[in-house]
Amino acid sequence: MPSLLTLADVMGTGHHAAVAAKVGPGKTVGVVGDGAVGLCGVIASKRLGAERIILLGSNRERTALGREFGATDVVRERGEEAVERVRELTEHGAHSVLECVGLGQAVETALAIARPGGAIGRVGVPEHDTTPTGIAFWKNASIAGGPAPVRAYIEELLPDVLEGRIEPGRVFDRTGSIEDVPDGYRAMNDREVLKFQIRP
């Protein structure tokens, strides 16, 4: 049941980021963000055949789960240090970058780690509407994404959940009642909880 629930939210969103970033067989993928959407982006990237998946995140429990989902590398640094680390790992940057945070620094990092001709899938809700698109222009990189049309992806993702090929429901790490929702949101905001599940 938890994995089915993610198809209406985080798994569909992570998949949307991967599709927008043109993830495919043999590609190197950068995933910016170790939240539930970013971790589902790792699942989606592996499912779509990525050869290398670099997860950018600093929470050790979350990045450990990301490795179980298919991340081949973890970059804990932020900002320019993160960019340099990705360059060390890839030489030219990632073919596909999933931006799953929305904060200004995350967007800048995503643009910086994309290789020339690469693609960025943005699903992080923008903190501001001032994306520095000049970087993408000079790299000939594409930027796509937005609110995920999760219903459009259910038919494609559902068989993999039902057959146990993917387990996105593992992102739920706390369960509570409807009365606990405000506390659940606070805990997610404070990064004490990855994803809060409401029990019926």
Side-chain angles (χ1 to χ4, degrees):
M1 185 57 73
S3 287
L4 290 173
L5 288 175
T6 67
L7 298 183
D9 184 13
V10 290
M11 185 62 219
T13 304
H15 180 72
H16 185 53
V19 169
K22 303 176 184 176
V23 174
K27 290 193 174 180
T28 294
V29 177
V31 178
V32 181
D34 60 7
V37 171
L39 294 176
C40 287
V42 170
I43 293 172
S45 297
K46 182 177 180 185
R47 185 182 167 276
L48 292 171
E51 182 176 307
R52 189 172 198 182
I53 303 169
I54 303 167
L55 175 59
L56 286 76
S58 58
N59 183 298
R60 293 190 180 274
E61 288 181 9
R62 295 179 182 195
T63 55
L65 183 57
R67 282 195 180 274
E68 291 178 36
F69 284 160
T72 55
D73 303 272
V74 171
V75 170
R76 299 192 196 291
E77 295 87 352
R78 289 188 177 200
E80 191 54 40
E81 290 181 358
V83 174
E84 287 304 315
R85 182 73 184 116
V86 172
R87 286 187 185 142
E88 287 172 12
L89 291 169
T90 64
E91 189 176 351
H92 299 296
H95 298 100
S96 303
V97 181
L98 285 57
E99 193 284 298
C100 303
V101 180
L103 299 179
Q105 185 181 68
V107 174
E108 290 174 17
T109 297
L111 288 162
I113 67 172
R115 69 173 52 197
I120 298 125
R122 286 191 65 193
V123 295
V125 177
E127 175 189 28
H128 304 293
D129 290 329
T130 54
T131 301
T133 54
I135 299 169
F137 177 85
W138 293 111
K139 282 188 170 187
N140 259 326
S142 63
I143 304 173
V150 294
R151 289 183 66 183
Y153 297 129
I154 289 175
E155 189 175 335
E156 178 183 350
L157 298 172
L158 183 59
D160 284 352
V161 168
L162 293 177
E163 296 296 324
R165 287 187 290 271
I166 61 173
E167 295 182 275
R170 293 177 63 198
V171 299
F172 290 111
D173 56 349
R174 186 176 297 178
T175 302
S177 68
I178 192 77
E179 290 79 17
D180 298 321
V181 167
D183 289 334
Y185 269 100
R186 264 194 292 289
M188 286 192 294
N189 186 59
D190 295 339
R191 291 180 61 86
E192 297 168 4
V193 169
L194 175 55
K195 194 69 176 169
F196 181 80
Q197 178 183 347
I198 305 167
R199 87 177 151 257

